[in-house]
Amino acid sequence: MASSSKPAAKSAKKTAKKAPKKSSEKTEHDAPEPKLAEDAVYLVDGMAYVFRAYFALPQLTNSKGHPTGAIYGFCQMLLELERRFNPKYLAVVMDSGRTTFRNDIYPEYKANRDEPPEDLVPQFDLIEEVVRAFNIPVLREKGFEADDLIASVAERMRKKRKDVVIVSSDKDLMQLIDQHVLMWDPMKRKAIGEAQVEEKWGVPPEKVVEVQALMGDTSDNIPGVYGVGPKTATKLINDYGDLETVLKSTGELKGKLKERLEEHAEDARISKKLATLIRTADVPDALKDYERKDNHTEQLIELFKKLEFTKLIDSLSQESDYQGLDRSKYVCIDDEKELAKWIKAAKKAGVYAFDFETTSLNELEAEIVGISLSYERGKACYVPVGHNYLGVPKQLKRETVLEAFDELWEDPKLTWIAHNAKYEKRVLRRYDRTLAGKGFDTMIASYVLDPGRNSHGLDALALEFIEHRMISYADVAGRGSKQKNFSEVDVPRATEYGAEDSDATFRLWEIFSRDLDALPVLKELFENVEMPLIDVLAEMEETGVRLDLKLLEKLSREFGKTMQSELEAAHKIAGVEFNVNSPRQLQKILFERLELTPTKKTKTGYSTDQDVLEELAKVHELPQHILRYRGLSKLKSTYIDALPELVDKKTGRVHTSFNQTVAATGRLSSSDPNLQNIPIKTTEGKRIREAFIPEEGWLLGSADYSQVELRILAHAAEDKALIKAFKNDADIHSETAQALFEVKAKDVTEDQRRAAKTINFSVVYGVSAHGLSQSLGISRGEAQDYIDAFYERYSGVKAFFDRVTEEAKRDGYVTTLLGRRRYLPNINAKNFQERSFAERTAINTPIQGTAADLIKKAMIELQDALHEKKMKSRLLIQVHDELVFEVPPAEEAKAKKLIMEKMSGGLDLSVPLKVDFAYGKNWAEIH
């Protein structure tokens, strides 16, 4: 499945779906998976299921506003387990509470764990009700964790020589594995036995707790030995056998390791007690207690009706349809005549889904390994063209296959379907091909229909809409250092994997095209804005931007020296050397040594985060140096040192990825590098922007919408005062200052204008009086007075915000001027914070979302105009309300005129759109 080459875009497709660059190094094969016994006792780690389900699926709610996402995912996972293994013996094991006997041993055990998400808590009871309706026994015992109960059942069954399968991916349970106890990882769909444990831990299962005792576990707040990581812990256990022998043998060790083991010996012993699972909990002993009984189907259906799980109701009555996609029917094509038949059938159908499997995530170097095609639900094929391994079967030549597919790609009458089509389009451009016809990107369609969905990746969508769990890339190519390139994947397995992608994409098209037909405004947004934008972004990514590498090298040295100076200053003020990146050491320096007053407490002590340091910096100089050091360090590592590594060797440019389906507001984001986070107002940020330069002899041009969100607000709110100010080209911030501070225009100070600017934009973003008081450094009451004064002057804005909020509470969503929707599931929440955040989002989205729609329209029209006029000027970067161009000197005046014209006319508003334009030799100069 195609995917972007950038990490932020990987979720757009199947997770880790594309192969990394092919490595010349040979790796050992994973240990063969153990076979699961048919009549084993299956023990489901219930809490792991719940949390996996919660975080894997969107925040679903039913029509009454009750959260249901975790319940839905939990049911799906249970159904899959039943249908995959049809277990004869089965139980779900749950925790009984947060406090167990381990807290008596070590009070800080799991103290770092956050409380469960608020919208998950009310789902717990319903999940248990679901399990009872499934007619599955639930095990829990006060004072013990689910893991202890699983260990205890495993021990009982071991004595009966009965096999056990633990359904979980929890590494802590791996200590239980032996020849009669195995694990099944439901997320990776992989069996885990003794060989897999040893492969992961470097020790056999019975030694896992010994390793855990030394290395600790941050997720459970198990201390271990400070400074001892997994590799060191494993080596020590392999050398000495167990923890006690290690601790008795410290005389044979040297340096810090010896000191740490001796100093933290008791921590290690406590850690071993915490990590060791209890095997004597009171659990049912008889096999009949775990015997699988039939579901209470009627009870389940009633529950599913209450929860509004329509698809799960259907799946109960049509058991065989759960997998949805029958991979056994997929066809591998190695014959030209057979391929021609498929192409002809796809043409006749008039619509087809296709997908590439390639050698790399990087579109600039990705070679096509295979192409899949589907033109009818359940009918899909895979055409291998670049598999390369010993014993590889017959394959058609790549060029022969591409020429055959040209009949589809070049036909303007056909509709093509792809998931993350930008990748496919960029790969096709490498082979001098483009897509004609009407396009439909299922990833973009998912985003337009519900931008707040947790994932628009094919795996997540297939699970949600088709109730089918897709094959993962790791399933076919392995994981980590042992992962194959896709060209090395067996053709039969690649056929299942590749054809499944096109089949699933085709089915999603059936669903999403119907949904868009029912919402004409969203369909227009999809067809006229989001789909055309794909080509614009693909061209921008392919073009890339030139960097001044010598300047970056110089900046790296300069930043390094300044960081060292800040570090030395901090150490001098503190009177002792310390690690500025260590919260614990910083806590001691700030709150014990310097006795500064802490402002925020966490479970592990007083906070030293950015907000706290900024407050402390007002009263002491040490936090000032720490903040300066951290800021420089982040910029140096994120941009100055990272940018040169991202330059493509062939093009000599850096090629960022522009992501369409990340921000719920409709805004674009960028990744590798993230160009939107380079500070624009700081000296350091400007220095970094100096490194972004045009083609030799060309200019960079920047076109930036001026106060676009306030202008959109004026139009949307029909506020007479705002509209008048913008029509008169008045200084809106000065106008607001005059009203708030009751002064004449000529008497407005810079500080007053700056405060008014903050207030103007704070109101647009729905910032509260508390938030504004923090921004301006004033009292909350004074901030509220300013907000009230703003609404008094711009009364239309207040009426607009009230109307939008009420409509959101009624409809559950808000819209932009172009009809883009954003759903707000918490708009009627009982929790004040959740509801307040949703209300602020309701206020801001119509404004910020419309600004996002506006610049997207401008990008499309500009790119079309540049091509139509056969100009060489190129669009390079989009950041919020700004577009950056690369312009040859001969087109300087023509390009500026065209850009200003297209950007100024993007939307028909009651106020004029204003665009600031400038040329320069680098990105910093044009600002």
Side-chain angles (χ1 to χ4, degrees), residues 324-380:
L325 282 64
D326 185 353
R327 302 185 189 110
S328 67
K329 295 181 180 179
Y330 297 149
V331 177
C332 178
I333 295 180
D334 60 6
D335 177 79
E336 286 187 54
K337 290 183 180 179
E338 182 67 13
L339 177 58
K341 289 179 183 178
W342 277 80
I343 298 295
K344 183 179 179 180
K347 287 195 71 168
K348 184 178 180 181
V351 58
Y352 64 94
F354 78 101
D355 180 66
F356 294 142
E357 304 305 337
T358 67
T359 56
S360 174
L361 285 166
N362 186 345
E363 299 96 326
L364 292 170
E365 60 185 35
E367 294 181 4
I368 296 174
V369 174
I371 308 174
S372 60
L373 172 68
S374 176
Y375 58 85
E376 181 183 308
R377 177 193 288 238
K379 197 170 184 64

Side-chain angles (χ1 to χ4, degrees), residues 582-584 586-587 590-591 606-610 612-613 630:
S582 167
R584 287 188 179 277
L586 207 49
Q587 286 168 10
L590 294 173
F591 308 127
Y606 292 110
S607 173
T608 58
D609 65 14
Q610 181 85 3
V612 169
L613 290 177
R630 284 185 178 180

Side-chain angles (χ1 to χ4, degrees), residues 576-594:
V576 64
E577 288 191 7
F578 64 97
N579 182 355
V580 295
N581 295 315
S582 167
R584 287 188 179 277
Q585 291 187 38
L586 207 49
Q587 286 168 10
K588 291 182 179 179
I589 296 294
L590 294 173
F591 308 127
E592 295 178 19
R593 191 178 183 88
L594 299 181

Side-chain angles (χ1 to χ4, degrees), residues 415-431:
T415 297
W416 56 261
I417 312 162
H419 196 85
N420 191 13
K422 178 152 62 75
Y423 183 90
E424 266 70 25
K425 280 175 171 280
R426 287 196 59 191
V427 171
L428 274 174
R429 286 166 72 98
R430 285 199 68 232
Y431 292 91

Side-chain angles (χ1 to χ4, degrees), residues 673-739:
N674 181 351
L675 302 180
Q676 298 186 346
N677 283 356
I678 303 174
I680 192 170
K681 295 180 181 179
T682 66
T683 302
E684 293 82 7
K686 289 175 182 176
R687 294 299 308 280
I688 293 171
R689 285 175 180 244
E690 284 180 32
F692 289 79
I693 57 176
E695 187 74 26
E696 188 71 39
W698 289 30
L699 293 169
L700 279 189
S702 168
D704 197 349
Y705 282 112
S706 174
Q707 300 165 346
V708 66
E709 291 181 353
L710 286 171
R711 292 171 189 269
I712 291 169
L713 175 62
H715 171 86
E718 299 178 347
D719 186 274
K720 293 179 181 179
L722 271 179
I723 290 172
K724 181 181 178 181
F726 283 123
K727 281 188 172 180
N728 293 335
D729 198 23
D731 181 342
I732 192 63
H733 303 315
S734 178
E735 293 252 327
T736 300
Q738 292 171 52

Side-chain angles (χ1 to χ4, degrees), residues 59-69 305-309:
Q59 294 179 350
L60 303 176
T61 57
N62 63 10
S63 59
K64 295 179 181 178
H66 299 145
T68 58
K305 282 180 180 177
K306 182 171 76 173
L307 296 165
E308 299 174 8
F309 294 165

Side-chain angles (χ1 to χ4, degrees), residues 156 165 318 380 720 750 866:
R156 298 280 205 287
V165 175
Q318 299 176 6
K720 293 179 181 179
E750 278 301 311
L866 290 172

